[in-house]
Amino acid sequence: MTSFNTNITEHPSHDRLNPDAWEALYLDQAIPLDINAKALMIKDLRSWSRNYLLIPIKLIANVLLALIMTFKRLLPFQFSAYKLMHHAAAFFLKHFVTPEACYLIVRHICIGSNVVNFLIDNGPDPSIPRSSLYPRTVDDLAENAFLEHDLILYNFVFDYHQAQQKNPNWLKHVHDRGINYDSIQPVEVEVDLSKRGWFKILDLESAIELFKVFYSLCLTSDEFARAVLSLQFDENFGCYVSAITQNYDWNHVIANRHPLAPNSPFNAARDLFLHGIITEALYRFLEIQKAMSLSPAIANKQD
């Protein structure tokens, strides 16, 4: 069972001479996020591993990444190990990463699928392949979830572009018809937040820093570069959503931008960390838009 005991009060009687920055961030609603996901993010940010281990982990991870990338580019051949990568990732998450971080990772993949399916439902061709990637547990991630998550994104971009070329007036049709929010649904994640262990201590960003090293080892050089670049597609997907909703007010939240100016792979972990937050902000935006679209119908029903 998933439990959301945040240890943060909704209306804290704070010390006005020494206010808690994390409580202020939790209570602030300038950038709306799912309240349970935000509580887990705050708990993750306050963890001792992020405060004391993140910087040395970054240093070690970037040195190893440089060695691996150099070695693989010098080889006359390329190799990959998808199965090893995913099973190792699931093992690593289950035994060394906090339940909060594990929950957020599984949730991220699910809401990512919902966003893709929302774009398909309201796109130039609703028949293009949809995402069916909905892991519920950390063990489910072992089934090539990370690689499939990237492939879904890139294949969607190809399919979306081709459909736009064939249906140049699709956006007007969508606006005339009305936006379909059926894909914006709560996701089901089965991560026990009370299950602790002596070694389950790593916060989300520290875990990503370490895993990027293994990711680079188990993918070919081109595959790793493709995965890194995918993080900067946040801007593209933000534009897709805003064109459909005709609302660009939230786009300032997007920090991963300009895929035509690829970021360094040494920043990949930070970019992935931001990608998770941006996706949460996008999904909450769509949930709010869905609620607003239902309000007139609810009001008419009550009348």
Side-chain angles (χ1 to χ4, degrees), residues 247-264:
N247 187 333
Y248 288 82
D249 292 343
W250 74 279
N251 291 60
H252 65 282
V253 176
I254 303 172
N256 293 336
R257 295 182 181 271
H258 309 306
L260 290 176
N263 209 345
S264 166

Side-chain angles (χ1 to χ4, degrees), residues 13 29 40 50 111 118 137 141 149 173-174 191 198 203 239 266 273 293:
S13 177
Q29 296 298 311
L40 297 180
R50 190 173 192 278
I111 65 176
F118 167 82
T137 67
L141 299 177
H149 183 63
H173 172 71
V174 170
V191 173
W198 285 104
D203 61 281
C239 289
F266 295 100
F273 185 69
S293 73

Side-chain angles (χ1 to χ4, degrees), residues 215-227:
Y215 208 71
S216 69
L217 179 64
C218 293
L219 296 177
T220 67
S221 296
D222 288 344
E223 287 170 337
F224 182 62
R226 184 184 67 196

